[in-house]
Amino acid sequence: MKRNKSISYWVFQIVNTSFLVLLAITCVLPFLHIVAVSFSDSASTSAGTVGLLPIGFQWNAYERIIDERDVFVSLFVTVIRMFFGTIWLMVITISAAYPLSLSRQEFYGRRIFVGFFFVSMLFSGGIIPYYILIKDLGLMNSIWALIVGGTPVFNAIILMNFFRSIPHGLYEAAAIDGASHWKILTRIYLPLSKPSLATLSLFCVVAHWNDWFSGLVYMKDKTKYPLQTYIYSFTQYSATYFKSEMYHETAPRMAIISALNVCAFIPVIVIFPLLLKYVARRGIMIGSVKE
Amino acid sequence: MSVLSKMKKGKQLYLIILPACAATFVFNYIPLYGVVLAFQKYNPTKNMFQQDWVGLRYFKQLFGSDDFVRIISNTLTIASIKIVSLLITALLLALLITEIRSRKVKTAVQSLLIFPHFLSWVVLGSVVRSLLDQNGFVNQFLMFLGMREPIFFMQDGFWFRVVLVVSELWKEAGFSGMIYMAAISGVDSTLYEAAKIDGANRLQLVWHITLKCIMPFVVLNVILNMPNVLNAGFDQVFILYNYVVLHSADIIDTYVYRVGLAGGQYAYGTAVGLFKSVVSSILIGSSYFIADKKLGFKVF
């Protein structure tokens, strides 16, 4: 059977594979460029001669970042919000997913709750009413504004579908033995859905790591910015930062911005293998929603 | 069983679902009430429930301004080009990557293409801006190839939109492609065997079997993505744009933020946002309706 692979097939294989490999490499080259810029000196960054290797090697940019207390404070803010924000979202996701995964006979009033969540998917108030809500709740300039909020519905649907794939006999057996819903959820459903829970939490962690907008809107104090907001703000208004010293004499502005960006994507690279492992699973989960 | 005893039986379930309901009520339903701000004169010393009414004043202001046509047409243009090009690129990538023979190369290519999806626009925006600067790497490269003048990617309306679309593909095409690949790998392999025996060539296999089998999934994705014609990508545009390209890059979301929130015109901004929300919910509602009727897609 192998012999019927024609010459044209092999030509296609070679062209196709090399095209895709080149494309994939091109997609990550820009990140190497940023790393190179972060290690280059002032003259070459402003002349634009830096390619994929640093020119006029220096690490002053990283030294400047390490000296800056605000960078560490923003990292701390990010870690705190990641931790509590993920717990918050997972709790409300599970809270919606378990009852909704049951049938109408088992969960009396399921339809009303489905309607309640469905309406919240259809309509949104928009950013300004949300801003005013945060303000009226007194969460302005508080890290809680970065932790709470968001909607559990989309994650809840994914988790609900997973709960439904758990053999229903387990639920029935436990119910006959007199287990409460709380017991069924915590002793049967949650332990069985660890992979799904890990996937959803991981995506939530990445979302919190990457979020910069809520920091910009709800934090009035620059010292309370999460890391991504700090980088955004530094990139936009770098003239007002590091003003105590003439930072551009020791490290060029472009190098510092690049170094900050490198700090922002290194952790993503570190957990990337884990993300890849779960992403395939999530792809399947999204695909299976159609059933 | 009476209603009351049925409810009593499920008492614990109501307790379990309470946190989700409370959170949804506070963070989704109260802002829904908050849209009444579009019909009020906002006074920051009072709370949401104590404002004075002004009727349709802000909607008249919106529909009467030149900004309205501009932001609507920018949003629709940028978003629809993005949606169509992302769909085509992702499908093509999925089909081509599946054809790679070596499993290792396949995984490597896929991983590299997915990577940018997990970074924020803050990081990607810096990368894009640094590469496309008039002195940047891309322009240096084009000059090296023999171009005389650098291209002002970030200052020219046309080129800026190209940058928006291409950088969006850079971030998302690999990830969307992976979802289609999951669908492709689910195609029944006996179909291919049967077609091969009937003498089908590779292109015919792709066209008549792969594409045909994943079509329902693609159509579902298109339908569910339809409401996104109003989401041209706030993060990306907001981070990349500047005053020079405002006329061709300003979208509804950036307008609401800049004029409404940052500019302090809360009520007017809410009116603009409400206009978008209403159109958006009609689109979302009808896309779910079509997906349910045509493809039997159920949300819950």
Side-chain angles (χ1 to χ4, degrees):
Chain A
M1 282 304 279
K2 290 276 177 268
R3 219 172 298 142
N4 67 6
K5 306 274 186 232
S6 59
I7 294 180
S8 66
Y9 171 77
W10 287 110
V11 170
F12 168 77
Q13 270 300 328
I14 292 167
V15 171
N16 181 38
T17 308
S18 37
F19 166 72
L20 287 172
V21 168
L22 273 179
L23 184 73
I25 292 174
T26 317
C27 280
V28 290
L29 282 186
F31 301 112
L32 280 184
H33 171 73
I34 288 297
V35 175
V37 170
S38 73
F39 283 113
S40 296
D41 64 15
S42 186
S44 48
T45 50
S46 53
T49 48
V50 183
L52 299 174
L53 290 171
I55 296 176
F57 186 87
Q58 50 84 22
W59 54 47
N60 292 333
Y62 291 93
E63 280 179 355
R64 292 297 302 127
I65 290 178
I66 289 171
D67 281 348
E68 201 60 30
R69 199 178 140 269
D70 285 357
V71 177
F72 286 94
V73 173
S74 71
L75 194 61
F76 180 70
V77 171
T78 304
V79 170
I80 295 287
R81 70 170 295 189
M82 253 161 54
F83 183 73
F84 289 103
T86 305
I87 292 179
W88 157 271
L89 192 70
M90 289 315 288
V91 166
I92 56 176
T93 299
I94 293 167
S95 135
Y98 174 69
L100 291 180
S101 74
L102 300 175
S103 69
R104 252 190 297 161
Q105 285 75 38
E106 291 151 347
F107 179 34
Y108 185 70
R110 182 178 182 275
R111 280 197 159 177
I112 297 169
F113 288 95
V114 165
F116 177 79
F117 288 116
F118 190 63
V119 166
S120 80
M121 279 170 89
L122 286 188
F123 305 101
S124 89
I127 165 179
I128 293 176
Y130 194 85
Y131 172 85
I132 290 169
L133 168 74
I134 294 289
K135 196 172 91 72
D136 285 354
L137 288 174
L139 297 181
M140 221 52 184
N141 214 12
S142 142
I143 192 164
W144 287 104
L146 307 179
I147 292 171
V148 298
T151 167
V153 180
F154 297 97
N155 282 338
I157 290 172
I158 294 176
L159 192 60
M160 176 191 81
N161 281 318
F162 188 83
F163 282 167
R164 282 182 177 164
S165 72
I166 294 174
H168 208 59
L170 287 175
Y171 170 87
E172 278 156 7
I176 287 169
D177 286 349
S180 63
H181 283 294
W182 178 249
K183 272 231 163 88
I184 295 176
L185 173 63
T186 53
R187 298 282 171 81
I188 299 175
Y189 276 54
L190 292 184
L192 282 176
S193 39
K194 270 182 197 153
S196 295
L197 295 173
T199 311
L200 294 176
S201 323
L202 198 63
F203 275 78
C204 186
V205 164
V206 175
H208 272 289
W209 175 261
N210 281 336
D211 176 59
W212 55 278
F213 185 65
S214 41
L216 182 69
V217 176
Y218 306 125
M219 299 294 120
K220 295 295 158 211
D221 242 331
K222 281 206 168 93
T223 54
K224 288 183 179 170
Y225 278 171
L227 184 66
Q228 299 268 350
T229 314
Y230 180 86
I231 297 175
Y232 167 79
S233 161
F234 184 86
T235 315
Q236 298 286 316
Y237 317 103
S238 52
T240 60
Y241 279 76
F242 291 180
K243 62 188 165 203
S244 52
E245 287 164 65
M246 306 286 274
Y247 70 86
H248 47 269
E249 279 182 6
T250 54
R253 176 177 163 268
M254 269 317 288
I256 295 183
I257 291 177
S258 304
L260 282 169
N261 282 311
V262 171
C263 297
F265 71 67
I266 291 287
V268 181
I269 294 181
V270 172
I271 63 160
F272 189 56
L274 205 59
L275 279 169
L276 274 180
K277 198 177 118 198
Y278 285 123
V279 91
R281 201 172 278 153
R282 201 179 102 126
I284 292 160
M285 288 205 282
I286 294 169
S288 67
V289 171
K290 66 173 183 278
E291 286 159 357
Chain B
M1 258 196 290
S2 71
V3 172
L4 213 68
S5 67
K6 274 181 185 166
M7 284 182 67
K8 227 175 176 176
K9 197 175 136 234
K11 201 174 59 187
Q12 238 188 346
L13 286 174
Y14 300 122
L15 271 178
I16 290 176
I17 207 169
L18 182 69
C21 289
T24 307
F25 180 76
V26 173
F27 294 106
N28 294 82
Y29 277 81
I30 296 182
L32 273 189
Y33 172 76
V35 298
V36 296
L37 180 59
F39 310 96
Q40 295 171 329
K41 189 172 166 53
Y42 184 67
N43 179 347
T45 58
K46 297 176 182 172
N47 76 25
M48 217 181 256
F49 302 96
Q50 307 165 325
Q51 308 285 337
D52 301 320
W53 298 89
V54 294
L56 291 173
R57 187 210 286 179
Y58 296 110
F59 287 94
K60 282 181 190 142
Q61 187 187 337
L62 169 66
F63 295 134
S65 79
D66 299 335
D67 296 342
F68 179 66
V69 182
R70 192 191 64 191
I71 57 173
I72 296 290
S73 79
N74 281 343
T75 305
L76 293 178
T77 318
I78 295 172
S80 44
I81 296 176
K82 272 186 183 175
I83 292 174
V84 173
S85 57
L86 186 61
L87 174 75
I88 295 172
T89 320
L91 258 179
L92 264 177
L93 277 180
L95 290 174
L96 291 178
I97 292 176
T98 336
E99 293 292 330
I100 299 182
R101 278 177 71 92
S102 152
R103 185 171 273 275
K104 273 185 187 158
V105 176
K106 197 189 262 182
T107 320
V109 165
Q110 222 183 331
S111 314
L112 292 184
L113 288 176
I114 293 173
F115 179 65
H117 170 81
F118 294 106
L119 298 177
S120 69
W121 275 112
V122 170
V123 174
L124 295 178
S126 298
V127 176
V128 167
R129 234 180 291 130
S130 150
L131 283 173
L132 297 181
D133 193 65
Q134 65 198 76
N135 252 336
F137 189 65
V138 171
N139 268 320
Q140 301 271 350
F141 185 68
L142 291 175
M143 308 276 260
F144 171 76
L145 290 182
M147 236 181 45
R148 298 240 175 81
E149 298 277 307
I151 298 176
F152 291 88
F153 288 106
M154 309 306 275
Q155 283 85 32
D156 181 277
F158 168 77
W159 281 111
F160 187 76
R161 284 185 178 178
V162 174
V163 169
L164 289 181
V165 173
V166 174
S167 59
E168 174 79 8
L169 291 181
W170 175 43
K171 186 177 196 285
E172 300 298 345
F175 190 74
S176 310
M178 204 215 47
I179 292 169
Y180 291 121
M181 279 186 72
I184 290 175
S185 69
V187 176
D188 187 356
S189 60
T190 55
L191 289 174
Y192 293 110
E193 304 295 328
K196 268 186 211 160
I197 291 169
D198 287 347
N201 65 29
R202 276 203 101 74
L203 217 59
Q204 284 172 321
L205 290 184
V206 169
W207 186 256
H208 291 290
I209 297 181
T210 315
L211 276 179
K212 194 144 199 183
C213 286
I214 63 168
M215 218 12 107
F217 181 65
V218 175
V219 171
L220 179 67
N221 256 312
V222 171
I223 293 172
L224 294 182
N225 258 321
M226 197 175 67
N228 283 334
V229 292
L230 288 177
N231 295 324
F234 171 81
D235 284 33
Q236 182 197 26
V237 176
F238 183 71
I239 281 184
L240 289 176
Y241 80 164
N242 52 59
Y243 277 92
V244 188
V245 288
L246 206 56
H247 60 94
S248 58
D250 201 13
I251 56 173
I252 303 176
D253 296 333
T254 51
Y255 185 75
V256 170
Y257 177 80
R258 201 180 59 250
V259 175
L261 203 52
Q265 303 186 49
Y266 292 151
Y268 176 62
T270 307
V272 184
L274 178 59
F275 172 77
K276 185 197 161 187
S277 298
V278 169
V279 181
S280 200
S281 24
I282 295 171
L283 289 177
I284 298 174
S286 39
S287 80
Y288 283 141
F289 182 77
I290 297 171
D292 178 25
K293 287 286 168 263
K294 296 281 170 202
L295 297 157
F297 171 82
K298 291 266 184 292
V299 184
F300 284 96

